[in-house]
Amino acid sequence: MSEVLKIENVRKYFGKFAAVDDISFSLKEGGIYLLVGPNGCGKTTLVNCISGIYNPEEGNVYYRDADITGEAMYKISRRGLVRTFQIASPFLSLTTLENMLVAVPKNAGENIFLSLFKPSWMDSEVSAVKQASELLGVLGLKHVWNMPANTLSGGELKLLEIGRALMCGAETILLDEPVGSIDPKLCHQIFSHVLRLRDELGLTFLVIEHRLEVAAQYADHVFAMDRGKLLTEGTAEEVFEDPRVITSYLGE
Ligand SMILES: Nc1ncnc2c1ncn2[C@@H]1O[C@H](COP(=O)(O)OP(=O)(O)OP(=O)(O)O)[C@@H](O)[C@H]1O
Ligand SMILES: [Mg+2]
């Protein structure tokens, strides 16, 4: 499997504090990677350095051999490296399908949305609707296609976020899980779809997940961070049996 993403010696400071402190790792195509570590250890900051929200002060980020360090987020997502986002409140009143369509880049989505009210659809609009409905099928969201997003469950919303990333042409997805918002059953549901997307579409995932006992079953490889640094990496078993990881979670 070829390497899709590589980060080398990445450092991100807030003032004098290094939230991400000299991190290097790489992801292979089609892998499901887990990023774990205690609250405040720098996971989200690292993902933000990869996706273009932050420009790291030091180090480099490579995607498919291109140096994308400091590149604008919209350019990075056009390359196929996409971070999912919680659906902003104005979009929650739109339906599942409409949320998929407005995610299409270059404002085409907006046109598609407006065109829902027009008598005839252009070919590009028809193909976007077709693609959206196929993806909703893969994500198990077809039954809620016409429901406003604010009526979906927490797990369904997460899957819709992934769907929106896929409408942007995502090949590598960075998924940041908010703390404690999802119960274990939904977590299983989300990961089983992540697995299916990897198997059917060959996607690569880097997932920040707090439900270790659930997520570990699905991960090919785990990175454990502590205080801005990469503590260790390996299989879920190797990482979670590492005394340093246990200490960093439970405290000394
Ligand atoms: N914009 C910011 N300005 C200043 N400090 C920040 C900023 N964002 C994050 N930090 C600090 O950087 C550190 C890492 O934060 P980050 O959000 O990356 O942690 P995390 O591992 O994602 O935590 P959690 O598991 O709680 O989501 C924390 O100490 C946090 O307070
Ligand atoms: Mg975080």
Side-chain angles (χ1 to χ4, degrees), residues 26 94 102 126 133 147 218-219 222:
S26 65
L94 301 181
V102 291
V126 172
S133 101
M147 303 280 282
Y218 301 94
V222 179

Side-chain angles (χ1 to χ4, degrees), residues 43-44 176 208 210:
K43 304 179 296 294
T44 299
D176 191 350
I208 299 178
H210 288 83

Side-chain angles (χ1 to χ4, degrees), residues 14 17 19 37-46 54 176 179 208 210:
F14 294 116
F17 168 68
N39 293 129
C41 74
K43 304 179 296 294
T44 299
T45 307
L46 179 61
Y54 293 143
D176 191 350
V179 194
I208 299 178
H210 288 83

Side-chain angles (χ1 to χ4, degrees), residues 62-209:
Y62 301 92
Y63 187 65
R64 297 195 185 282
D65 292 330
D67 186 346
I68 59 162
T69 322
E71 208 170 81
M73 192 167 69
Y74 77 94
K75 286 190 183 162
I76 294 177
S77 43
R78 268 190 210 156
R79 292 178 183 273
L81 175 59
V82 182
R83 181 199 197 292
T84 63
F85 279 101
Q86 275 191 331
I87 295 167
S89 49
F91 292 92
L92 288 172
S93 56
L94 301 181
T95 68
T96 302
L97 178 65
E98 287 161 356
N99 264 289
M100 293 288 279
L101 297 176
V102 291
V104 177
K106 298 182 205 153
N107 296 325
E110 196 183 347
N111 297 336
I112 291 163
F113 177 55
L114 292 174
S115 77
L116 291 172
F117 304 104
K118 286 192 293 188
S120 67
W121 288 10
M122 287 162 62
D123 286 352
S124 62
E125 293 162 351
V126 172
S127 75
V129 172
K130 193 161 165 278
Q131 188 195 2
S133 101
E134 280 169 11
L135 287 172
L136 290 178
V138 179
L139 291 164
L141 292 175
K142 237 177 181 163
H143 63 295
V144 292
W145 74 275
N146 202 22
M147 303 280 282
N150 57 18
T151 65
L152 303 189
S153 71
E156 287 167 342
L157 271 179
K158 267 278 153 222
L159 291 169
L160 179 54
E161 286 170 31
I162 296 175
R164 286 162 56 95
L166 294 171
M167 289 301 287
C168 299
E171 293 173 348
T172 302
I173 297 187
L174 309 170
L175 199 59
D176 191 350
E177 198 65 75
V179 194
S181 67
I182 302 235
D183 69 39
K185 193 167 153 250
L186 288 176
C187 190
H188 276 298
Q189 187 195 338
I190 291 163
F191 270 99
S192 63
H193 282 97
V194 162
L195 222 57
R196 190 167 166 200
L197 289 165
R198 187 270 298 277
D199 294 342
E200 289 187 12
L201 305 174
L203 305 180
T204 310
F205 285 89
L206 176 63
V207 185
I208 299 178
E209 176 55 60

Side-chain angles (χ1 to χ4, degrees), residues 32-36 191 206-207 209 212 215-216 219 221-223 240:
I32 297 176
Y33 295 85
L34 207 59
L35 180 59
V36 303
F191 270 99
L206 176 63
V207 185
E209 176 55 60
L212 301 187
H221 196 88
V222 179
F223 299 109
F240 298 134

